[in-house]
Amino acid sequence: MSRTESSRTGLRGGTALLAALSLSGAACVGAVVATPASAATACTVDYKVQNQWDTGFTTAVTVTNNGSAVNSWNLTWSYSGNQKVTSGWNADISQSGADVTAKNVSYNGTLATGGTASFGFNGTYSGTNTLPTTFKLNGVTCNEDTTPTDPDPGTDPTGRVDNPYAGAKVYVNPEWKAHAAAEPGGSAVADQPTGVWIDRIAAINGANGGMGLRDHLDAALAQKGSNEEVVQLVVYDLPGRDCAALASNGELGPDDIDKYKSDFIDPIAAILADPKYAGLRIVTTIELDSLPNLVTNVSPRATATPNCDTMKANGNYQKGVGYALDKLGDIPNVYNYIDAGHHGWLGWDDNFGPSAELFKTVATSNGAQLSDVHGFIVNTANYSALKEDNFGIDDTVNGVSVRQSKWVDWNRYTDELSYAQAMRDKLVSLGFDQNLGMLIDTSRNGWGGAARPTGPGAKTDVDTYVDGGRYDRRLNTGNWCNQAGAGLGERPQADPAAGIDAYVWMKPPGESDGSSTEIANDEGKGFDRMCDPTYTGNPRNNNHMSGALPDAPLSGHWFSAQFQELLKNAYPPVQ
Ligand code: BGC
């Protein structure tokens, strides 16, 4: 795996402008979009969550009456979660259990045909602030075209659930469990779910005597019992894989797209479609390290690599990902998540928007459709902290923005949670499903242990402030290989924050990112000096030391010293 940042060309200068832009994040975090008015639509409701934080939210509602004129109105809806309306304006709002009624106030009771009324409210919630799906104006259902062929906008015709992790167990990979349990102290985490990497064609049937895909799915059925069960797969064998690095180069050459389709995706799809496995919720994370490289590591940028230029020119990343989304998306119990890098890779303005646009293009070409995409995953196999509590992107020191610190270096985000939520908003604004869910890989971003800062850094200058407070203690956010000082992050969990389906351990902790020295192998893996602790860096990590642990084996192989380091520095600590 490589995680490479990009050139920030074009972002320098214009401090005041940049500071102003950074304040303009007025995001709409969720909305029920009204169907277009038609003769058959009695009323339309636009319900927008304008602002949302851990425990509360603000909503704006506009209702349009398409029927005959009325002198008074009430609008009703129900919540599927524990949302409670606390105060409202321009309507009289009451709530009983999950059911809410908003009545007109004295000055907005009259609604002509085509007339609208707008009101708003604040509310509280915990878990996920799921949008209501059905609204009734004076007892008549809104947003519903009564033409019989029109699908209910709130229902996924395949029967997929909104968040596959909600209320479900997640598959514990017995092979990873055995490694973890054999480590001193490892039994404390050995029952955690981790990703199953299908990282070569041979892995489908089981490489080197290991479990194959059917073995894992059979084991998942056994673990499932009468519960819902998620199985997390990483689909990882693109032609010319990992073009900006060498450590996770794969078996397929840059032009092997046909082989990728016929020998890799087709057999995986055939197994996943077996009715025997229809009761599993199969999460597929599609081709990490691919699409973002086509934005950040191609000419004319200083960070370009010849391999990424080749993959951009031949289009085989897009073709492969599109094909995988299409084939796997046809299976009703498969949930596709695309890799969206991490904040230290795509968090700069010149990477963020273009990446989101590329995801949209790929999800609408080569047979793929937006409905094949359930969500996105960020921080896979990376080390970016989940939440940096000690400094925020809008902070300043002596009038200097945190964005000007050497660490942040004009990035728009300081951590993965804020990045994931913003990327989600951006993707929804481009047309992805409004219920899009994000996954955050927290397998190795804990940054606990004795060196963890306990409060903000001194406000002497912006670098002292940021460096003194940051949890992420890498030498640069572009460092990605076997990072010294890292710890296990948040334990896997469903619904941890707004817009986030789950925190997951997609990269199995203790599996190496790449070898510290060259090791001959038959897996296609190269030696990347970012995994060599003596390496002084390249443009993709702004020429910093690699920060890698010494004596690492090939990527994917068990690295006991790293597992011990992750246990020692876990945050939250491992009890
Ligand atoms: C390797 C894969 C491995 C995965 C999980 C990647 O860096 O290239 O072979 O399965 O990590 O450890």
Side-chain angles (χ1 to χ4, degrees), residues 1-2 195-200 234 236 241-242 247-249 289 381 444 480 506-508 510-514 523 525 554-557:
M1 298 293 301
S2 79
V196 172
W197 288 62
I198 314 174
D199 66 345
R200 65 198 85 175
V234 179
Y236 189 57
R241 190 176 74 189
D242 203 12
S248 281
N249 288 168
D289 279 334
R444 308 182 304 175
W480 53 266
M506 205 54 76
K507 172 77 182 184
E511 292 185 6
S512 173
D513 296 315
E523 300 175 28
K525 300 204 167 133
L554 284 177
S555 67
H557 291 224

Side-chain angles (χ1 to χ4, degrees), residues 191-208:
D191 280 312
Q192 292 293 348
T194 52
V196 172
W197 288 62
I198 314 174
D199 66 345
R200 65 198 85 175
I201 291 164
I204 300 171
N205 291 321
N208 307 320

Side-chain angles (χ1 to χ4, degrees), residues 22-108:
S22 73
L23 295 172
S24 67
C28 166
V29 294
V32 174
V33 182
T35 52
S38 78
T41 308
C43 39
T44 51
V45 172
D46 191 349
Y47 175 104
K48 270 204 181 68
V49 177
Q50 292 179 301
N51 188 16
Q52 180 166 299
W53 54 100
D54 284 355
T55 55
F57 63 101
T58 304
T59 297
V61 181
T62 299
V63 53
T64 306
N65 173 34
N66 300 317
S68 357
V70 296
N71 293 326
S72 68
W73 52 264
N74 65 67
L75 185 74
T76 56
W77 67 89
S78 298
Y79 286 117
S80 59
N82 61 0
Q83 294 96 331
K84 289 267 171 301
V85 175
T86 49
S87 62
W89 46 94
N90 299 335
D92 219 321
I93 307 178
S94 59
Q95 183 167 0
S96 160
D99 301 331
V100 182
T101 303
K103 290 197 163 94
N104 65 277
V105 285
S106 58
Y107 49 83
N108 63 2

Side-chain angles (χ1 to χ4, degrees), residues 383 444-452 471-474 482-488 547-549 565-566 568-570:
Y383 296 87
R444 308 182 304 175
N445 69 350
W447 298 108
R452 182 180 175 89
Y471 300 140
D472 183 340
R473 288 190 302 279
R474 283 179 295 179
N482 301 324
Q483 291 299 285
L488 299 168
L549 292 171
E565 175 109 341
L566 292 170
K568 185 178 76 184
N569 294 325

